[in-house]
């Protein structure tokens, strides 16, 4: 499974999974999934640090017609 950065995201140089966003709309694409994900529960761990101390992360799911707002999930976060 691979994590491909987009939306003006670059590696921060501080480690393999440390990224820096250069715009207000950074994104990542999860790629090279060996098997199709089936309906059910999944655990995703994300660690985010931002200047404001809090924000929201939005996950988009492509169920065939592409990435759409009606198949997204918004998760609030705080630094920590």
């Amino acid at each position: 499974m691979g994590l491909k950065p987009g939306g003006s995201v670059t590696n921060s140089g501080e480690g393999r999974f440390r990224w820096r966003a250069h715009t207000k709309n950074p994104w990542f694409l999860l790629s090279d999934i060996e098997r199709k994900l089936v309906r059910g529960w999944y655990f995703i761990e994300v660690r985010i640090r931002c200047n404001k101390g809090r924000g929201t992360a939005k996950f988009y799911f492509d169920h065939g017609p592409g990435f759409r707002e009606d198949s997204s999930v918004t998760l609030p976060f705080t630094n920590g």
Side-chain angles (χ1 to χ4, degrees), residues 45-51 53-59 75-80:
E45 182 177 344
V46 179
R47 294 181 187 179
I48 299 174
R49 184 178 70 208
C50 70
N51 294 336
R54 67 176 67 191
T56 56
K58 189 175 277 193
F59 291 85
L75 301 173
F77 68 85
T78 58
N79 281 350

Side-chain angles (χ1 to χ4, degrees), residues 15-73:
R16 182 173 173 206
F17 292 108
R18 296 204 178 226
W19 306 92
R20 182 173 308 275
H22 301 280
T23 67
K24 292 184 178 183
N25 193 24
W27 54 270
F28 293 90
L29 179 64
L30 186 60
S31 63
D32 302 325
I33 298 174
E34 295 177 8
R35 63 179 174 87
K36 186 175 180 178
L37 298 177
V38 296
R39 185 179 302 243
W41 291 93
Y42 291 87
F43 179 81
I44 298 173
E45 182 177 344
V46 179
R47 294 181 187 179
I48 299 174
R49 184 178 70 208
C50 70
N51 294 336
K52 294 182 179 180
R54 67 176 67 191
T56 56
K58 189 175 277 193
F59 291 85
Y60 289 89
F61 300 92
D62 182 356
H63 299 286
F67 298 108
R68 302 175 359 178
E69 286 292 327
D70 63 350
S71 44
S72 68
V73 175

